Amino acid sequence: MTERFDVIVAGAGMVGACAALSFSRCGFRTALIEPRPPLDDIDPVDASYDLRVSAISPLSQHILSKLGVWPALDQSRVEHYHQMAIWHENGEANITFDSVELARDSLGAIVENRQILRALLAACEAQSTIEWFRPDAIELLQENSDQNLRVTLKSGVEIESDLLVAADGRNSNTRSLAGIDAWNGSYDQIAIVANLVTELPHQHTAWQRFLKTGPLAFLPLANGESSIVWSCDTELAEEILKMNDQPFCDAVGQALEYRLGAVTATSDRLSFPLSWHSCNRWLKNRILLIGDAAHGVHPLAGQGVNLGFSDVDVLIDMIGDLSRPWNQRKLRQFERQRKSETTLATHLFTGLKWLYGSDNPVLNRLRNSAMQCVQASPWSKRLLMKQAIQNMALNHLIPKL
Ligand SMILES: Cc1cc2nc3c(=O)[nH]c(=O)nc-3n(C[C@H](O)[C@H](O)[C@H](O)COP(=O)(O)OP(=O)(O)OC[C@H]3O[C@@H](n4cnc5c(N)ncnc54)[C@H](O)[C@@H]3O)c2cc1C
């Protein structure tokens, strides 16, 4: 017999697990499909820090707290940062943001992705209204009638619902099966990720220097080390990736102008080719895209998963009090609101990447003057930080914080 659910979620990454947990807490019977085996089998916890970390905004912390997930994290491995220091390699355009100026405890927190995912998955496991299909994946989608979507899994199991939420990441297979087009473009950059010890303390500060070849971020970790995300033009990144540890550390230290002194590598390096994507529709009949399945931004502003958590929060706000999650008008409203907010974020981060990487003297003057104005104006600093803290959500989220 084909089992019926109120909602099916494809993908148990950070955003999909957050969505499944939120639906389930609203009383909806939820199917959760994930091709990877349980996390313990693939990614054991140990003392060393996960190479994948995220800057989690205060709004995302609030969203995860409402679900009981934030307090479940090992707080000794959560680093709250109080300042951000941003400058350009020509040395003229400096901006600093301070949590005191915003009357906040911190500007955000650096957390291992593995920790967030484990806490979300554990919370999902504890929900009797979530049924797992793992390891499994969607093979076929059939829309039978106005109220019914039949999903055939690779295992041969068939399930039905009025709503399928696709949170299966940037290469979303559900998006392809639904025939939703994504526009995408390469940034012609590769992000190099590594953990390092610095000679000087990180001072609970997120440091970002914009080089013409791409931004270098030093994110503070709770163990005193720093996690770097160095986005470089592809050719340069390939050279850097080939370097032995010492020349690599010298290059990183120099690229940050030794603001934290000499650096020593404590991990291997990972690399991620960088691209952006967005979709002209997020909703097609009963299929809805969220998270990286719907949008992909440059990591320079640390917003990708934050945008995904906001997708979930806005969706649940709109449909959580309905008896069933399927309501075309509400889902359209969600699509309109989140699509415009995330499209704005995608263009903004692409524009910043382009503006900071430009050699054009007129653009350079414009950039430097704009940054000087922001630095001199507490009001514009507050406005900019408020958007970052609120995951670029312009409309309804402001009263929440
Ligand atoms: C270098 C780097 C640094 C970053 N730093 C930050 C940061 O500081 N802050 C921030 O907010 N964001 C950051 N991001 C972005 C962030 O990592 C992503 O936006 C986020 O991981 C997306 O989460 P997701 O759950 O939407 O997708 P994913 O994490 O890709 O999860 C998708 C899930 O779907 C599953 N799946 C795949 N195929 C299928 C299928 N066919 N059916 C069902 N399930 C499937 C996958 O196994 C996975 O579990 C960074 C990204 C990079 C590359």
Side-chain angles (χ1 to χ4, degrees), residues 9-17 33-36 52-57 60 110 113 117 136-138 154 167-174 177 191-193 219 228-229 231 272-274 290-309:
V9 177
M14 289 188 278
V15 176
I33 306 165
E34 168 60 44
R36 289 189 295 188
R52 296 299 313 273
V53 301
S54 296
I56 301 297
S57 71
S60 295
I110 308 296
N113 289 8
L117 191 56
D136 217 333
I138 298 174
K154 291 222 157 82
D168 48 351
R170 57 174 49 228
N171 300 317
S172 170
N173 183 48
T174 313
L177 288 173
I192 301 168
V193 173
L219 306 174
I228 64 151
V229 182
S231 307
F272 302 87
L274 297 180
I290 59 169
D292 272 20
H295 44 75
V297 296
H298 197 290
L300 70 87
Q303 284 287 331
V305 79
N306 288 306
L307 291 172
F309 288 143

Side-chain angles (χ1 to χ4, degrees), residues 94-95 97 369-381 384:
N94 297 296
I95 303 188
F97 294 99
S369 314
M371 285 182 79
Q372 277 155 13
C373 286
V374 172
Q375 176 64 7
S377 156
W379 177 83
S380 20
K381 272 201 203 178
L384 277 178

Side-chain angles (χ1 to χ4, degrees), residues 4-9 16-17 19-33 127-133 159 161 325:
R4 190 168 172 80
F5 292 90
D6 293 321
V7 56
I8 299 172
V9 177
L21 184 60
S22 306
F23 280 123
S24 159
R25 293 275 169 83
C26 292
F28 297 128
R29 217 172 146 248
T30 306
L32 183 52
I33 306 165
Q127 290 292 116
S128 59
T129 45
I130 295 181
E131 188 159 334
W132 280 93
F133 295 88
I159 51 177
S161 180

Side-chain angles (χ1 to χ4, degrees), residues 51-53 191-198 207 215-221 225-231 240 248-249 251-253 255-256 260 263 267-270 272:
L51 269 176
R52 296 299 313 273
V53 301
I192 301 168
V193 173
N195 291 347
L196 305 165
V197 173
T198 53
W207 307 81
L216 166 65
F218 268 59
L219 306 174
L221 296 178
E225 294 183 10
S226 295
S227 161
I228 64 151
V229 182
W230 191 359
S231 307
I240 293 172
F248 169 69
C249 290
V252 176
L256 200 75
L260 297 178
V263 304
S267 74
D268 295 334
R269 289 162 231 164
L270 292 180
F272 302 87

Side-chain angles (χ1 to χ4, degrees), residues 86 89 245 248 254 272 302 326 334 346-348 360 385:
I86 300 169
E89 72 167 280
D245 268 2
F248 169 69
Q254 193 179 27
F272 302 87
W326 170 244
F334 165 81
T346 309
H347 291 319
L348 182 67
N360 181 314
M385 272 321 294

